Amino acid sequence: MKQSNQMWGGRFAEGPDAVMEAINASIGFDRRMAREDIEGSRAHAAMLAATGIVSDSDAQAIREGLLTVLSEIEGGTFEFSAALEDIHMNVEARLKEIVGEPAGRLHTGRSRNDQVATDFRLWVRGRIDLLDGLLAGLLGALVSQAEAGADWPMAGFTHLQVAQPVTWGHHMLAYAEMFARDRSRLADARARMNECPLGAAALAGTSFPIDRAMTAEALGFDRPCANSLDAVSDRDFALEFLSAASICAMHLSRLAEELVIWSTAQFRFVTLPDRWTTGSSIMPQKRNPDAAELLRAKVGRIFGANVALLTVMKGLPLAYSKDMQEDKEQVFDAADALELALRAMTGMVREMEANREPMREAAARGFSTATDLADWLVRELGLPFREAHHVTGALVAMAEAKGCDLPDLSLADMQGVHEGIDDGVFAVLGVENSVASRRCLGGTAPDQVRAQAALWRERLA
Ligand code: ARG
């Protein structure tokens, strides 16, 4: 017969069924929080000593023993046990082997419920800091592209149909805006999650005279959580992280999609370097944008994690339920996927080559300066915009019928549609003039792009 659990088995005559153990154990994944678990326990032990709840010598033994456990785990010599369920009990059991009796005093005034909530907050907080650094790197890469190509005309699209010429730099900085908002969303989530659950114990708090402010401060939290029931049953922090991660992943997938499109033979807007592409085993000419495609696909995991955790949490009564153990794998997986996606995107953006000529050619095709023509009619001939729109439409139809672009129409052809047109119109039909004219704040003009890029440099410094 299997022995009952050494941590909580007092009232149990026999140990768990093998399947019970398999469904119950979280050590297979929560070992990733070993460092946070030990950090939390060390802070708790120091507080127990400072408040006189355990002796200084016991606390000292515990704190040092925990460092030994950490070095065993990080050195790869620690033997994890599924019978001990989770990281919390694995660490404590090993601590007992190392320091003996004092180990049994560590769990005074706490529960695994506040312990796991603390560990997990620390872990997510650490990931936010890592991802923030990666996002800063991606922003830097986008700004570099924008600086290099601040005045390179490129086809701008709506409905993926050529719309108006824009500049390469302007397009790059559009993504800088998105990823900066992602940083700020993660920072918001971080600020809200930075409260310490320790001391909530199982759900009701503890009768020991603990000092919650002390542990909160030692662990870098702004303050202790105010309500013990909420402290152990809240997973909003993980959900906010997953929501922010989902939005960021969505942004990454949009840029990834553009890289896939731009690197086709039809577009040739960018060349992805060999380092970020793969070949085909049958078609020797191929250079496939696999990193961009996989990045586009990784998003599925991150959205999935968000929905999965929302579903786990929905309808749970207060306070802790074991359902909540299912929070971690989702968050770990999403964080890993986002980290990898950010690293891949940063590498590609840093090393991709923007191809000036194909971008310019595309910008000049598809009557992309039709709006400039309409604006010219308003400005120079005083036409109401609606009428100018109509006249321009007729000119586009004429060019289309002739199989040419707007600048290829003769002045006589144009005057046939509206007699007031003179040869001043040709100046606005060129893509360089078109982009240079869009000087309004936030517009695509090279001056604006340079000014924005300089602002980004300042913010990133
Ligand atoms: N492994 C558990 C989890 O991840 C730790 C908390 C266990 N608490 C309990 N009351 N059984 O949620």
Side-chain angles (χ1 to χ4, degrees):
M1 205 197 323
K2 220 172 159 177
Q3 270 207 325
S4 68
N5 188 288
Q6 58 170 283
M7 296 290 172
W8 47 251
R11 61 154 4 254
F12 287 75
E14 60 175 323
D17 186 272
V19 175
M20 174 62 203
E21 184 173 291
I23 196 172
N24 193 38
S26 55
I27 189 61
F29 47 88
D30 66 13
R31 62 175 71 178
R32 286 190 68 171
M33 305 191 306
R35 175 176 275 280
E36 290 77 10
D37 190 68
I38 287 170
E39 208 189 321
S41 288
R42 280 173 49 82
H44 182 66
M47 182 279 291
L48 290 177
T51 49
I53 298 168
V54 306
S55 69
D56 285 344
S57 62
D58 281 353
Q60 196 52 30
I62 290 169
R63 282 171 55 79
E64 275 165 25
L66 284 167
L67 287 183
T68 308
V69 177
L70 181 62
S71 67
E72 289 178 2
I73 292 175
E74 296 196 327
T77 59
F78 190 94
E79 271 181 46
F80 291 101
S81 150
L84 288 165
E85 288 182 24
D86 55 28
I87 187 62
H88 324 295
M89 296 203 295
N90 269 266
V91 168
E92 194 186 317
R94 179 68 187 128
L95 181 69
K96 179 142 188 259
E97 287 171 5
I98 299 170
V99 308
E101 194 255 10
R105 301 190 186 278
L106 171 60
H107 215 49
T108 314
R110 81 171 182 188
S111 146
R112 276 187 294 158
N113 295 350
D114 58 341
Q115 192 179 354
V116 73
T118 305
D119 294 2
F120 199 26
R121 280 190 196 224
L122 289 172
W123 193 90
V124 173
R125 194 180 74 184
R127 274 308 138 135
I128 287 180
D129 294 343
L130 173 86
L131 294 168
D132 182 67
L134 294 176
L135 277 162
L138 176 54
L139 278 165
L142 287 163
V143 173
S144 294
Q145 285 285 350
E147 287 164 343
D151 59 354
W152 299 357
M154 154 187 172
F157 300 89
T158 60
H159 315 265
L160 200 54
Q161 309 285 324
V162 172
Q164 291 175 349
V166 295
T167 46
W168 171 248
H170 197 51
H171 201 106
M172 291 294 102
L173 291 186
Y175 282 103
E177 296 287 338
M178 296 176 226
F179 293 121
R181 286 197 297 276
D182 291 331
R183 285 183 88 185
S184 116
R185 261 183 287 273
L186 286 170
D188 283 349
R190 190 194 196 285
R192 224 171 348 262
M193 81 173 57
N194 208 28
E195 295 185 342
C196 187
L198 262 191
L203 75 165
T206 176
S207 57
F208 290 99
I210 58 170
D211 182 347
R212 294 195 58 206
M214 181 180 167
T215 36
E217 197 193 326
L219 296 170
F221 288 109
D222 295 327
R223 64 194 80 85
C225 300
N227 181 299
S228 63
L229 291 166
D230 178 52
V232 294
S233 69
D234 161 42
R235 291 295 180 272
D236 292 6
F237 67 91
L239 287 166
E240 280 197 53
F241 169 69
L242 290 175
S243 315
S246 294
I247 296 175
C248 177
M250 174 273 290
H251 289 150
L252 283 167
S253 79
R254 295 182 75 176
L255 181 50
E257 168 71 1
E258 301 220 86
L259 294 184
V260 170
I261 294 174
W262 291 341
S263 60
T264 58
Q266 292 80 354
F267 269 77
R268 292 190 302 117
F269 284 12
V270 302
T271 305
L272 292 171
D274 288 357
R275 283 155 53 83
W276 294 102
T277 49
T278 62
S280 154
S281 55
I282 174 171
M283 297 167 284
Q285 86 284 9
K286 290 285 294 253
R287 197 216 296 256
N288 295 324
D290 296 35
E293 294 169 275
L294 285 163
L295 200 159
R296 190 173 59 183
K298 290 274 179 210
V299 172
R301 289 170 176 263
I302 299 169
F303 291 5
N306 194 7
V307 173
L309 185 54
L310 279 168
T311 312
V312 166
M313 295 307 295
K314 99 166 251 309
L316 285 187
L318 299 189
Y320 177 86
S321 295
K322 199 60 170 269
D323 309 50
M324 290 161 68
Q325 179 166 285
E326 287 288 311
D327 56 2
K328 283 173 279 300
E329 277 174 296
Q330 301 296 341
V331 169
F332 293 163
D333 188 67
D336 289 346
L338 187 58
E339 178 186 344
L340 198 56
L342 280 168
R343 288 187 193 282
M345 184 56 88
T346 305
M348 285 189 288
V349 172
R350 204 173 271 149
E351 296 174 35
M352 71 188 176
E353 204 184 309
N355 300 322
R356 232 177 138 164
E357 235 353 86
M359 289 199 295
R360 196 198 170 281
E361 269 167 35
R365 274 196 308 267
F367 316 111
S368 67
T369 51
T371 316
D372 299 85
L373 173 52
D375 287 351
W376 183 89
L377 293 168
V378 170
R379 209 168 46 239
E380 302 299 324
L381 306 187
L383 265 52
F385 182 77
R386 280 291 155 227
E387 193 186 334
H389 187 287
H390 197 78
V391 170
T392 306
L395 288 166
V396 166
M398 177 187 278
E400 202 163 33
K402 289 181 184 272
C404 68
D405 265 305
L406 285 174
D408 308 320
L409 291 174
S410 69
L411 184 58
D413 283 341
M414 293 202 196
Q415 286 169 338
V417 175
H418 194 287
E419 62 205 6
I421 297 177
D422 62 46
D423 62 3
V425 75
F426 290 101
V428 300
L429 297 181
V431 293
E432 274 79 10
N433 287 334
S434 168
V435 294
S437 71
R438 293 199 155 63
R439 274 213 172 81
C440 75
L441 178 74
T444 202
D447 294 351
Q448 279 297 326
V449 174
R450 284 193 196 96
Q452 290 292 330
L455 277 178
W456 279 114
R457 276 284 166 237
E458 258 172 53
R459 287 180 205 139
L460 290 171

